[in-house]
Amino acid sequence: DGMWKQLTPPRHKQLVLDYKKERPNFVVYAEALERTLKKACKYSLPEALVQSRAKEVPSFAEKIVRKWDKYNDPIHQMTDLCGARIIVQTIEQVKAVGEFIEANFFICEKENKEVLLGKDKFGYRDLHYIIQLKKDRAGFLGIEEAKLQTIGDRKAEIQVRTWVQHAWADTLHDRMYKNKLKLSTEVVRTGNLLAALMEEGDRDFIGS
């Protein structure tokens, strides 16, 4: 039992080997999800960028160590082993894509990062879903029976954001809020100002 409670080197090695065997299923999942979401955006949002991936083995190995207190059965507990991202131009388009996702997938969790922001933070306002496939929607989505069987009830994460939000999340947010060093008040203030300008740009885009 102690071995299960503590992440020993043999346990870590075994979990990584187990994920190497399991990962091809998540690759199938990621490819099916990307094809489905691209097809959904093709006519109404042709400029949307759709990306997907199965978590890489080194990333899985690192996350086990970092999150062991939360996930002691990571292959079954982690929800981001398959992930997809849709980047669109406006907040209205984010909402439209969100409506499509909610209509066609089983929603395990939905998080709107906008409501998580304090008054001193700006800009990170994407939609974030944890989903599972619905068997009765698979045909409509173009997911073949064999792939549906492979994917089963595995979970995936889908992010929907604007290009401005994407710029914020990939640069400012990660540098400011995931930085292990304590940032000066001036750096944080500057980052929040840039984020606020980005957010204003998003709103202006809708009005134009």
Short mmCIF file of all heavy atoms in Angstrom, two decimals, residues 4 58 88 98:
data_model
loop_
_atom_site.label_atom_id
_atom_site.label_comp_id
_atom_site.label_asym_id
_atom_site.label_seq_id
_atom_site.Cartn_x
_atom_site.Cartn_y
_atom_site.Cartn_z
N TRP A 4 1.83 2.60 -3.29
CA TRP A 4 0.79 3.32 -4.02
C TRP A 4 0.62 4.74 -3.49
O TRP A 4 0.27 5.64 -4.24
CB TRP A 4 -0.54 2.56 -3.90
CG TRP A 4 -0.54 1.33 -4.73
CD1 TRP A 4 -0.10 0.10 -4.37
CD2 TRP A 4 -0.95 1.21 -6.09
NE1 TRP A 4 -0.21 -0.78 -5.41
CE2 TRP A 4 -0.75 -0.12 -6.49
CE3 TRP A 4 -1.49 2.10 -7.02
CZ2 TRP A 4 -1.05 -0.59 -7.76
CZ3 TRP A 4 -1.80 1.64 -8.28
CH2 TRP A 4 -1.58 0.31 -8.64
N PRO A 58 7.08 12.47 -22.06
CA PRO A 58 7.85 13.23 -21.07
C PRO A 58 6.99 14.20 -20.26
O PRO A 58 7.23 14.40 -19.06
CB PRO A 58 8.87 14.00 -21.94
CG PRO A 58 8.99 13.19 -23.18
CD PRO A 58 7.62 12.63 -23.42
N VAL A 88 -10.35 31.50 -32.36
CA VAL A 88 -11.22 32.25 -33.28
C VAL A 88 -10.95 33.74 -33.14
O VAL A 88 -10.11 34.16 -32.35
CB VAL A 88 -12.70 31.91 -33.03
CG1 VAL A 88 -13.01 30.46 -33.38
CG2 VAL A 88 -13.08 32.20 -31.58
N GLY A 98 -18.69 27.26 -28.35
CA GLY A 98 -19.11 26.67 -27.09
C GLY A 98 -20.49 26.02 -27.20
O GLY A 98 -20.72 24.93 -26.67
#
